[in-house]
Amino acid sequence: MHAWTGRIIDIDLTADLVHGRKLSRDLALAFLGGRGLNSKVLFDRIAPGLDPLSPDNIYCIAPGPLSGTILGMTSRMEVSTLSPYSGILGDGNAGERFATIMKRARADQIIITGRAPRPCYLLVTPETAALHDATGLWGKGAWETTDLLLAKHGQKASVACIGQAGENLVRFASTIVDKYASAARGSGAVLGSKNVKAIVVVGNHAISLADPVTFKELAGLDREFFAKDEFQQNVASKYGSHHGMSDWRPGFRNYAKYLEPGEVPPELRPEAWKKYEIGRTGCGNCSVRCKNVYEIPDGPRKGEHGEALEYESIFCMGTNCGVCDPVAIMEMSNLGDIYGLDVIPLGNTMALAKDLFARGILTREQTGGLDLSWENIEDQVELVHLTALREGFGNILAEGMLSMAKILGPKAMQYCYHVKGLSRGPYPAGLFALAHATSTRGADHLRGRSWAYGENDPELYPKLQASGALHADMDDPVQAIILSERVCTLADSVGRCKGAVNSWANALPLAWKYPLFEGLARLLNAATGEVFTEASLLEAADRIYTLEKAFNARQGITSAHDSIPLNPDHHSPEEMERERARHRALLGRYYTLQGQDTQTGVPTEKRMQELGLAREGARLHDEGPYPEWTGPTLWPLAAYPHGGKRA
């Protein structure tokens, strides 16, 4: 095979079996790689109603066919599992070097199931894959773990590992990749439940290309675009996702409002962060270099460096928690990387706790003496430590926003703005709410919507409209969401970055030259030697997304869960019902166009047959009906492990 390595590594920890098998051509063509391959494994091997923290859950990593090639921004991989945070499909997309080195270690996918009897880590090379003892690493943070494994296996290795949060089964613990990238949706807790501390890949195996001359030419055109595009150079390269603080309306105090550009505190605006910047960096072969390298100037972590402080860190742990101190935000971001915590649910859960505290729904007695008033930064930072170590009130917060609200009661649930357990805040019916509702991993900003109206492509988007490449009615949120979901699915499956500012040019290489999917098809043809067309790529995107919807349906998701969260302080009951009615009307049209049952939102058997998923469709419909989803299976709070080295 070209582009793909042709090798899948399958590990059964319970049986202590590690074996390699071939990636079939048919599977590669149907599901591409990355997210597509992983979603297929999850559907095939995870039973309905499974406890995500049980040994039978699956943890898998896959780069894409373009990962590790000379094409820019292709050092991306997908980490997928049944999420212990949401109880549905949970995947995270991470950068740094792991995807490239994994391909050079001759692996298209790593699949892990079972539970090891003692802490271990997996080492993958082009020749072998083996488990090694990790007892001495258990209890350590992700940064220290990474440094120790690089010292042992060489600085050219790449490390995906967990910190104390994963070991303690914090439900939104991440897999931390090369110290500064995060594969979210609770994958770290799944690794912890399996007694796996890390996965290390080492290799320099050349990636075969079918037509290297044409591929080099196309990759050069792509790189040239980013070198010349004014927005990429003056915004993405200079500020990265900090751009969002002045342009994306970050939430404030548990989404009590969204801050307009003039309302964002000056110390949190993009230019203000340059004060702490000591360099720029990027993932693997990226020329944009959207990530900042910073140094904390004072406080308890004075002199500590960090990388890739993203918009989500600033808004979720900052403004949405009422915190506008940049030093505290950098400190909490570093703690998230060290402990292995996903900063989005960490921030959202803390914001909900602070909101409930302000309303008197949560008391100081319940928090173990913590003062969670909006202005108290010190106790919020302390709560990060307590959450990762599952100590005190942190043990409840470690359950995540939805489960914490359930524990605290019906009044708390009113202010828990979630879709299928994840949150991006409350929005009126329309583009954002529809994107969050239809996302196959819960409310999310990178499943769809990001490219819908071209807000981050001031020059390219009008050209795409004029070329006729976009739907004539792209102002229709339903059409826009369907197209942008396809774009996101393909990017996640081939290994391409969607970009710091989520642009069409990032996610769809060469879209500026060969609108809209032809450029990606040409690259895949040159890389693999297979024949891809715009039509076959759209079919692959729909196949992957539909299978993910089917996976969630088997976990109990229906149209009732494709919901729209609304703030009860902003709407009367009558207004809320009108918004919900508008949302349901958009959903109905979406279901019709996507071949999903208009009453349940479940993919029809006919649609699955059309996409080459006849066997999966029969399984979905023959096994049902399924128990309704109510969130992940929860354990008694006393049953979780806790503790570890305090950062």
Side-chain angles (χ1 to χ4, degrees):
M1 300 178 78
H2 297 289
W4 298 284
T5 73
R7 179 188 182 210
I8 293 174
I9 298 169
D10 215 327
I11 299 107
D12 184 337
L13 296 165
T14 303
D16 193 25
L17 291 175
V18 180
H19 67 277
R21 57 184 172 86
K22 290 184 178 180
L23 169 66
S24 75
R25 175 177 177 271
D26 288 346
L27 187 65
L29 292 178
F31 295 96
L32 302 178
R35 178 176 153 192
L37 282 184
N38 285 355
S39 295
K40 180 69 165 70
V41 168
L42 296 188
F43 184 91
D44 287 349
R45 294 174 57 173
I46 290 180
L50 181 73
D51 181 346
L53 295 177
S54 75
D56 291 335
N57 196 4
I58 302 285
Y59 176 103
C60 43
I61 296 179
L66 298 182
S67 297
T69 68
I70 61 171
L71 179 67
M73 288 169 278
T74 54
S75 56
R76 305 300 296 189
M77 67 174 186
E78 203 80 4
V79 178
S80 307
T81 190
L82 176 66
S83 170
Y85 180 51
S86 63
I88 62 170
L89 176 75
D91 57 30
N93 187 274
E96 297 293 343
R97 299 183 303 154
F98 197 97
T100 295
I101 305 301
M102 183 172 162
K103 289 284 290 291
R104 291 176 182 169
R106 292 189 57 249
D108 289 311
Q109 189 177 37
I110 298 170
I111 304 168
I112 303 174
T113 190
R115 185 174 192 271
R118 61 190 63 85
C120 66
Y121 71 92
L122 174 68
L123 175 64
V124 178
T125 72
E127 296 78 27
T128 63
L131 296 169
H132 296 261
D133 180 66
T135 304
L137 298 174
W138 208 255
K140 299 183 185 299
W143 285 5
E144 184 179 5
T145 297
T146 300
D147 287 340
L148 289 168
L149 288 169
L150 289 177
K152 183 173 183 178
H153 297 289
Q155 295 302 310
K156 292 185 178 180
S158 183
V159 178
C161 70
I162 60 172
Q164 299 91 323
E167 296 173 4
N168 292 328
L169 310 185
V170 174
R171 289 185 173 270
F172 47 85
S174 285
T175 302
I176 300 298
V177 180
D178 295 331
K179 298 178 77 168
Y180 302 111
S182 173
R185 259 59 64 182
S187 65
V190 175
L191 271 191
S193 74
K194 296 181 177 304
N195 259 341
V196 175
K197 182 65 175 178
I199 301 166
V200 183
V201 289
V202 184
N204 57 7
H205 185 81
I207 298 168
S208 171
L209 298 176
D211 184 353
V213 174
T214 300
F215 192 86
K216 182 179 180 180
E217 178 186 339
L218 293 170
L221 290 172
D222 183 71
R223 186 175 292 272
E224 184 180 346
F225 172 86
F226 287 96
K228 293 180 177 179
D229 184 73
E230 184 177 342
F231 187 79
Q232 291 293 330
Q233 287 298 308
N234 296 333
V235 177
S237 290
K238 186 176 181 179
Y239 299 112
S241 65
H242 291 179
H243 165 70
M245 290 304 296
S246 64
D247 215 49
W248 297 343
R249 301 177 70 237
F252 182 70
R253 293 190 174 182
N254 196 30
Y255 303 103
K257 65 182 296 185
Y258 290 92
L259 299 176
E260 299 296 338
E263 297 177 303
V264 175
E267 60 270 27
L268 299 185
R269 294 175 188 173
E271 193 61 47
W273 289 102
K274 292 295 182 181
K275 176 181 178 182
Y276 311 102
E277 188 174 300
I278 59 174
R280 306 286 305 171
T281 189
C283 299
N285 59 353
C286 180
S287 60
V288 175
R289 297 173 65 82
C290 71
K291 302 176 185 296
N292 67 331
V293 182
Y294 57 88
E295 181 177 294
I296 299 177
D298 51 52
R301 311 193 79 82
K302 179 180 179 179
E304 186 175 83
H305 292 183
E307 286 186 16
L309 179 74
E310 301 286 359
Y311 164 75
E312 282 76 16
S313 294
I314 302 169
F315 120 63
C316 290
M317 295 191 295
T319 59
N320 208 37
C321 287
V323 172
C324 299
D325 178 359
V327 172
I329 294 169
M330 287 186 286
E331 182 178 344
M332 288 186 287
S333 181
N334 278 10
L335 288 174
D337 287 343
I338 292 168
Y339 283 130
L341 290 164
D342 178 0
V343 297
I344 295 177
L346 172 64
N348 280 329
T349 309
M350 290 193 298
L352 173 59
K354 295 183 87 170
D355 192 358
L356 299 177
F357 190 87
R359 297 175 187 276
I361 298 171
L362 180 62
T363 68
R364 200 157 180 160
E365 181 180 3
Q366 291 170 292
T367 66
L370 290 177
D371 174 13
L372 297 186
S373 56
W374 295 115
E375 299 78 12
N376 192 323
I377 297 173
E378 184 178 346
D379 280 11
Q380 180 177 324
V381 174
E382 175 64 15
L383 189 52
V384 177
H385 293 283
L386 296 178
T387 300
L389 303 179
R390 274 196 179 268
E391 294 176 346
F393 182 64
N395 197 24
I396 296 176
L397 197 135
E399 295 294 87
M401 185 179 66
L402 173 60
S403 298
M404 181 184 75
K406 286 181 181 178
I407 291 169
L408 296 177
K411 289 184 179 179
M413 283 297 298
Q414 293 183 73
Y415 305 98
C416 179
Y417 309 118
H418 79 96
V419 181
K420 297 186 274 288
L422 275 66
S423 178
R424 295 302 293 182
Y427 283 93
L431 181 69
F432 286 16
L434 184 63
H436 299 162
T438 60
S439 164
T440 52
R441 63 183 183 189
D444 187 81
H445 65 301
L446 289 174
R447 222 51 167 189
R449 192 277 298 170
S450 296
W451 295 264
Y453 292 153
E455 63 268 32
N456 299 326
D457 293 284
E459 295 183 13
L460 176 59
Y461 188 73
K463 293 178 182 177
L464 292 176
Q465 287 181 306
S467 74
L470 301 180
H471 292 293
D473 52 356
M474 277 295 284
D475 286 339
D476 174 3
V478 175
Q479 293 280 10
I481 286 303
I482 291 173
L483 180 57
S484 58
E485 284 176 348
R486 288 169 170 166
V487 173
C488 293
T489 302
L490 290 172
D492 291 342
S493 298
V494 302
R496 176 79 167 193
C497 179
K498 304 184 197 74
V501 291
N502 311 330
S503 74
W504 287 91
N506 284 101
L508 269 180
L510 302 178
W512 55 274
K513 185 173 179 62
Y514 303 110
L516 191 53
F517 294 89
E518 185 186 343
L520 177 58
R522 289 183 180 222
L523 281 160
L524 285 170
N525 292 343
T528 67
E530 303 290 348
V531 179
F532 288 94
T533 64
E534 180 165 4
S536 70
L537 286 176
L538 291 176
E539 183 176 316
D542 287 349
R543 180 182 300 114
I544 294 163
Y545 212 85
T546 299
L547 190 64
E548 292 175 352
K549 292 283 286 188
F551 175 86
N552 284 342
R554 294 175 68 234
Q555 303 305 320
I557 294 294
T558 68
S559 59
H561 305 108
D562 293 346
S563 56
I564 176 172
L566 297 167
N567 189 328
D569 293 348
H570 295 171
H571 302 281
S572 68
E574 294 77 18
E575 289 171 328
M576 292 175 80
E577 183 49 43
R578 283 196 292 271
E579 285 298 312
R580 291 189 180 110
R582 284 194 283 268
H583 179 68
R584 287 193 296 268
L586 292 173
L587 269 180
R589 289 180 46 228
Y590 174 91
Y591 292 152
T592 298
L593 291 173
Q594 291 292 75
Q596 297 163 17
D597 186 280
T598 56
Q599 298 302 310
T600 65
V602 175
T604 64
E605 199 163 0
K606 177 184 176 184
R607 178 57 174 157
M608 295 188 74
Q609 288 173 347
E610 292 171 349
L611 293 170
L613 298 170
R615 183 179 62 84
E616 292 84 354
R619 184 177 174 189
L620 167 66
H621 291 278
D622 291 348
E623 284 181 354
Y626 303 98
E628 182 179 5
W629 174 88
T630 57
T633 305
L634 297 182
W635 295 5
L637 290 174
Y640 293 97
H642 65 278
K645 184 177 179 180
R646 186 180 175 97

